[in-house]
Amino acid sequence: MAGEGVKLLGYWGSPFALRVRSALKLKGIEYEYQEEDLGNKSPLLLQSNPVYKKIPVLLHNGKSISESLVILEYIDEVWKHNPLLPEDPYERARSRFWAKFVDEKCVPALVGTISKVGEELEKGVREAREHLKTLESGLDGKRCFGGTKIGFADVAIGWIAYLARIEQEALKIQLIDQQSMPVLAAWIDYVLEDPVMKELMPPHDKVFKHMIGMREKLIAVVSN
Amino acid sequence: MAGEGVKLLGYWGSPFALRVRSALKLKGIEYEYQEEDLGNKSPLLLQSNPVYKKIPVLLHNGKSISESLVILEYIDEVWKHNPLLPEDPYERARSRFWAKFVDEKCVPALVGTISKVGEELEKGVREAREHLKTLESGLDGKRCFGGTKIGFADVAIGWIAYLARIEQEALKIQLIDQQSMPVLAAWIDYVLEDPVMKELMPPHDKVFKHMIGMREKLIAVVSN
């Protein structure tokens, strides 16, 4: 489907940009993708998201939309086919609630843990696991947050879960395990097996190396 | 209009509960209101918002919805008359963006400032003013965030602005002034003059006293 002048400013390893890419892909919207150098942001990025100066930014018909969850809502409203949000208002509220929960609780805990060592690391892992366990309750026996097919909350949370799995490997910690979070673990497997998610998935080894590099850099900053 | 079993758990001074009350009022939805004692929350609140255990919670037809912005979206989807969000997807995205900005930037800065003194207070005020100045840019020459009539972002932000005005008086600081933020100041006047907002407005003196009390309590905790 023609995207009528759709352009996305993103970064390969950003789960927030990947949310938008999967939403566009699920809808079959063609778009131009511009990879940003986060150390040297393009004038277009600085100008189109003056408040946060962050990716992702969706440009559509000369207008710019920022904040990944706001962009997902926009995409779902402009291109109504293959809806991302469920039809029922209560289920829509549940999807929004859990996507927001992940951004407000899980993401800070997971990101904060990357730079931690020793007891602080253990504490960070405990906190992240508590939030992930709460997140699991949001599935409420369903296959996906959106019910039976991948939607708004699944693409919003799925990329965070993909990175959390690599984080636990890189830091040799346990964040999500089959035994204590069987429903969440099964959901991650299901979402990451989706053809749209698979196609967009940044390579495991590249993410792993990037995370180790980020950890080393952050630990050096903290110890200086 | 009959609310078909609508109940709201709130707290008189909470801008987040007031958001929901104004949305219901703008739609003309009848509802039962339950005031919560935040020091001794009701079993209904604890059970209906197990994740955050916070007000506001909207109960509708045996289901519970939490998080004020998620509740506003729900209300707008269930009762479609007198829409809160504009019709145009781009304008809807702008409303969501600015409501989110206020919750993520302005609210923490304004709340954080309540307990500060001396240089820390000055720093807190500077930070809050910067965010409010950014917020002003979101009006973009319009009378309201929603265009010409009060909507989603206006009720979401209006209550925060009402409390910010009382905060500046209670703490003898300058947060929003006519000279450096004329557009934001005019918008606040306009929104708070709206009959629906006026009817729900918690009394100035009660809020003022509550804020002073909160400040004294917080300062005592910090100095101990």
Side-chain angles (χ1 to χ4, degrees), chain A residues 29-187:
Chain A
I29 310 296
E30 283 172 30
Y31 64 100
E32 185 191 339
Y33 177 72
Q34 180 174 310
E35 175 76 5
E36 286 287 333
D37 172 357
L38 299 184
N40 181 26
K41 295 171 182 175
S42 74
L44 183 58
L45 172 56
L46 300 177
Q47 173 201 323
S48 54
N49 185 1
V51 173
Y52 294 107
K53 301 176 181 69
K54 277 187 191 171
I55 57 98
V57 175
L58 187 78
L59 301 155
H60 181 216
N61 288 338
K63 285 174 175 164
S64 54
I65 303 107
S66 312
E67 296 289 279
S68 60
L69 297 182
V70 175
I71 300 174
L72 294 196
E73 298 264 6
Y74 177 83
I75 289 172
D76 217 23
E77 287 173 350
V78 170
W79 297 282
K80 296 194 189 295
H81 64 284
N82 301 354
L84 300 170
L85 279 163
E87 204 185 323
D88 176 64
Y90 174 68
E91 290 301 328
R92 293 166 77 87
R94 277 177 44 83
S95 291
R96 290 180 177 124
F97 177 90
W98 289 109
K100 195 169 184 279
F101 174 81
V102 161
D103 281 5
E104 287 176 10
K105 298 292 178 184
C106 301
V107 169
L110 291 166
V111 171
T113 301
I114 293 178
S115 62
K116 288 182 178 142
V117 289
E119 265 181 43
E120 281 299 302
L121 177 60
E122 278 173 40
K123 206 180 130 192
V125 170
R126 266 200 309 277
E127 194 200 327
R129 281 179 57 91
E130 266 171 42
H131 293 317
L132 290 163
K133 193 73 198 154
T134 303
L135 174 65
E136 188 181 45
S137 72
L139 279 163
D140 200 21
K142 295 194 186 89
R143 171 164 271 184
C144 292
F145 283 91
T148 49
K149 73 180 186 61
I150 288 184
F152 184 89
D154 302 290
V155 302
I157 306 169
W159 293 114
I160 306 294
Y162 176 64
L163 295 184
R165 279 215 168 149
I166 301 182
E167 182 177 345
Q168 73 180 355
E169 200 189 321
L171 273 71
K172 300 186 180 69
I173 54 177
Q174 196 160 57
L175 292 169
I176 304 150
D177 61 289
Q178 183 61 43
Q179 211 176 343
S180 65
M181 300 177 205
V183 178
L184 190 67
W187 167 79

Side-chain angles (χ1 to χ4, degrees), chain B residues 185-218:
Chain B
W187 167 79
I188 299 176
D189 287 340
Y190 181 75
V191 171
L192 299 182
E193 273 303 312
D194 185 272
V196 162
M197 299 292 277
K198 272 188 115 153
E199 196 182 320
L200 290 168
M201 200 165 286
H204 170 277
D205 294 358
K206 192 177 173 187
V207 177
F208 186 92
K209 214 177 131 187
H210 183 71
M211 212 171 267
I212 293 281
M214 195 156 71
R215 174 167 169 78
E216 282 167 1
K217 217 183 278 178
L218 286 167

